[in-house]
Amino acid sequence: MQERRIEPRLLCSELVEIHWKDRSGRARRRVANLEDISLSGICLQVEQGVPEETLVTMRYGDGELIGVVRY
């Protein structure tokens, strides 16, 4: 896969939970493996894909990050 990030990645391996709404508006959630993180984004590995341009919330411990699926 072509590298798309401009900042360096920090490698990690952590299980996190992601939440989003599907096209019908139904709330969905899935466990994902956080592979790496940078200032411009994160790489999550999931068993079934989440469509591009979907707004997702990643929850971990006491925090959360919100972003959009790019690829």
Side-chain angles (χ1 to χ4, degrees):
M1 180 180 293
Q2 178 183 355
E3 178 59 49
R4 300 179 187 195
R5 294 194 187 163
I6 57 175
E7 291 95 9
R9 296 176 180 214
L10 299 173
L11 297 176
C12 52
S13 183
E14 184 75 29
L15 292 178
V16 297
E17 190 171 78
I18 58 172
H19 297 255
W20 74 97
K21 290 188 179 179
D22 64 16
R23 291 185 178 144
S24 67
R26 182 175 159 200
R28 309 283 293 186
R29 74 177 183 184
R30 189 164 291 146
V31 173
N33 186 27
L34 174 61
E35 292 286 325
D36 61 58
I37 191 165
S38 73
L39 291 174
S40 63
I42 60 176
C43 175
L44 295 171
Q45 193 172 56
V46 292
E47 287 188 24
Q48 293 179 328
V50 178
E52 290 182 6
E53 302 304 319
T54 300
L55 182 68
V56 297
T57 302
M58 180 187 80
R59 294 191 178 145
Y60 59 95
D62 292 333
E64 68 180 29
L65 293 172
I66 298 171
V68 177
V69 176
R70 294 293 180 210
Y71 55 93

